Amino acid sequence: MRREKFSGEACVERILLSEYNRYFRLAMSFVHNEADAGDIVQNGAYKAIRGSGGLKQEAYASTWIYRIMLNEIFRFVRRDRTNCVSIEDVAEAGYEDRYENVDLRRALDSLAPKDKAVIELRYFEELKLEEIAEILQENVNTVKSRLYRGVKKLRLEMED
């Protein structure tokens, strides 16, 4: 019986195609701009495909790609912090707000990027804490601390 050779590139391409909307939604939650979110996902996809030759096991491909996407998001947010558009600016410009709860979005935006990423991945992408820990390359207890601290900050922010 002949065993098929694992192709990292084919695996990565398959995951990128099936999970594109999740990556785009995650990027949008940080940058609030469709063009920027598209650029982030495109850059992340390029890096994932380019590095797919080093991928040895399919089981780790999904978290590996999430990590790449989050790194691209964090890189963009750090680089483009001066060009960020606030929710107030968007409202004043007359753009339609696509978020159901502007206060929640504003509170999420006030969190540190890694704390926000944990909350986004847990509650909006419905990932397990262990998966989030793998993606962020952190201990599960650190992820739990970030989650609980972030939720507490959100509650305080929402009360104000």
Side-chain angles (χ1 to χ4, degrees):
M1 188 169 166
R2 190 172 164 222
R3 190 171 181 188
E4 249 182 73
K5 186 179 176 194
F6 171 72
S7 169
E9 186 172 344
C11 175
V12 167
E13 286 177 4
R14 188 179 67 253
I15 292 170
L16 286 169
L17 289 172
S18 68
E19 300 297 321
Y20 177 86
N21 289 335
R22 291 180 103 180
Y23 303 136
F24 184 81
R25 197 171 47 243
L26 182 64
M28 274 293 291
S29 73
F30 279 84
V31 297
H32 310 295
N33 179 302
E34 288 183 17
D36 291 340
D39 288 346
I40 289 167
V41 174
Q42 184 177 5
N43 290 339
Y46 170 75
K47 288 180 179 180
I49 291 170
R50 191 182 70 203
S52 63
L55 193 59
K56 303 294 184 220
Q57 293 182 7
E58 186 173 354
Y60 301 116
S62 184
T63 55
W64 179 71
I65 295 171
Y66 255 116
R67 189 173 329 128
I68 290 170
M69 293 298 174
L70 277 171
N71 287 337
E72 282 301 303
I73 291 168
F74 294 155
R75 187 175 298 115
F76 182 90
V77 169
R78 272 193 309 272
R79 185 189 77 224
D80 218 40
R81 198 174 288 281
T82 58
N83 296 333
C84 283
V85 177
S86 71
I87 291 175
E88 290 83 11
D89 293 340
V90 171
E92 287 174 15
Y95 296 111
E96 182 180 335
D97 185 13
R98 294 185 181 170
Y99 298 107
E100 292 179 23
N101 190 331
V102 175
D103 293 332
L104 175 60
R105 186 53 53 193
R106 189 174 292 137
L108 277 168
D109 288 343
S110 72
L111 297 176
K114 284 199 174 184
D115 292 346
K116 179 179 176 179
V118 169
I119 290 173
E120 292 276 349
L121 292 171
R122 178 67 186 109
Y123 294 113
F124 296 101
E125 298 301 322
E126 299 176 354
L127 296 180
K128 296 176 183 170
L129 294 175
E130 293 79 16
E131 293 172 312
I132 298 169
E134 260 186 71
I135 291 167
L136 296 176
Q137 295 181 317
E138 293 182 342
N139 184 302
V140 174
N141 289 330
T142 303
V143 170
K144 286 179 186 176
S145 295
R146 285 185 186 281
L147 180 65
Y148 298 131
R149 183 176 55 236
V151 168
K152 186 176 180 180
K153 286 180 184 177
L154 284 177
R155 281 191 185 124
L156 292 172
E157 191 74 27
M158 296 294 289
E159 287 175 1
D160 290 343

